[in-house]
Amino acid sequence: AEALASGNVAVGEGAFTSTSYNGPFYYLYGSLKSQYLVSAAELTAAGLAAGNITALSFDIASSTGTTFNDFTLSLGSTTVTALSATFETGLTSVFYTAGLTPTTGIFTITFDTPFSWDGSSNLVVETCWSNNNSGSSTNSAHVKRDNTSYTATSYYRVDNQPASVVCPTTTRTGSYSSRPQMFFMGVTSCSSPRSAVVATVATPPALTITPDQSVCNNSVAMMEVTSTLADYDTYVWTPEANLFTDMACTVPYVAGA
């Protein structure tokens, strides 16, 4: 059996901690655009079902309290199975803030606009921010992450450029076969183990029914149905109009009585 509800699912175990651009808040340069690919199989295995995704969380291992300006979070569906040198396009912006300050622990970003996932497409998560300066790696926030068997992270970093220049960039600086651990708030499925059921279909019994008759107006005719099986001793006649249970036509027929 399967039931649907609203809940939070984790993609990844968070086995490692980001030390570079495999996290969205690495601050060696003054701005950073990142894309992360999550396969539909991973989302389904985590328990996510088709429907609206309303929030995303990162597990922040450490933070210095740095604010990342002009922060945008976008999501999109894709058929690609590994990220390429060109960023995925056609994504939908689901969250924006003039300044985002990650805090340690599970750091949740609640969407301004829900994203509808179809339940079968791979998912691209994009973060983009710019402090429009030269950055400092000591002011980074680091997240829990996991290795992947495919290119799951693409990034672009640059100094002294505003978000209006950084976020539309189409060509990445580099990539990783790793990805932050992410938590998605959406429609979750709960399945119990399936058990085989044996069904026996018996041959229906033969019924004996009164042959067709021609009945004149205001005349009475008897109709009967019988079976050789004791279990088949109740029948429903239809239509009910002008049916009686006695030859004198004084006791109206009532279905189920």
Side-chain angles (χ1 to χ4, degrees):
E2 183 173 75
L4 299 178
S6 177
N8 215 25
V9 302
V11 177
E13 300 294 330
F16 305 98
T17 299
S18 66
T19 56
S20 185
Y21 295 106
N22 45 17
F25 306 113
Y26 189 58
Y27 196 14
L28 179 60
Y29 280 69
S31 55
L32 178 63
K33 174 180 178 177
S34 304
Q35 283 192 352
Y36 308 110
L37 180 63
V38 185
S39 72
E42 291 174 293
L43 293 168
T44 301
L48 194 68
N52 283 343
I53 300 174
T54 58
L56 183 148
S57 304
F58 296 103
D59 189 351
I60 309 295
S62 63
S63 175
T64 60
T66 299
T67 295
F68 298 87
N69 297 330
D70 282 330
F71 180 90
T72 301
L73 175 66
S74 304
L75 271 67
S77 298
T78 185
T79 58
V80 303
T81 55
L83 295 177
S84 68
T86 301
F87 282 117
E88 292 294 302
T89 59
L91 278 58
T92 300
S93 175
V94 296
F95 176 82
Y96 169 80
T97 182
L100 186 76
T101 308
T103 53
T104 55
I106 303 301
F107 181 71
T108 300
I109 301 171
T110 301
F111 297 171
D112 301 322
T113 305
F115 178 82
S116 180
W117 181 54
D118 61 14
S120 59
S121 297
N122 298 334
L123 189 66
V124 176
V125 176
E126 178 182 290
T127 61
C128 187
W129 54 267
S130 175
N131 285 2
N132 200 9
N133 59 18
S134 58
S136 171
S137 62
T138 58
N139 291 325
S140 301
H142 299 288
V143 302
K144 293 293 185 178
R145 67 166 184 88
D146 295 282
N147 294 330
T148 58
S149 60
Y150 57 90
T151 302
T153 295
S154 288
Y155 68 90
Y156 172 75
R157 82 288 186 275
V158 67
D159 282 335
N160 303 310
Q161 292 292 336
S164 59
V165 173
V166 177
C167 297
T169 298
T170 58
T171 303
R172 72 188 183 192
T173 303
S175 64
Y176 289 94
S177 292
S178 68
R179 183 188 57 215
Q181 181 188 33
M182 288 181 276
F183 302 81
F184 295 90
M185 174 63 73
V187 179
T188 60
S189 61
C190 178
S191 300
S192 60
R194 288 174 169 81
S195 300
V197 176
V198 178
T200 302
V201 180
T203 303
L207 301 178
T208 302
I209 305 174
T210 301
D212 293 344
Q213 303 180 57
S214 296
V215 183
C216 297
N217 191 30
N218 294 323
S219 297
V220 177
M222 178 67 73
M223 294 179 291
E224 293 181 324
V225 57
T226 58
S227 171
T228 57
L229 300 180
D231 290 342
Y232 288 80
D233 56 4
T234 301
Y235 308 96
V236 176
W237 296 91
T238 184
E240 298 178 35
N242 298 318
L243 291 179
F244 300 88
T245 59
D246 65 322
M247 288 295 295
C249 299
T250 59
V251 181
Y253 168 76
V254 178

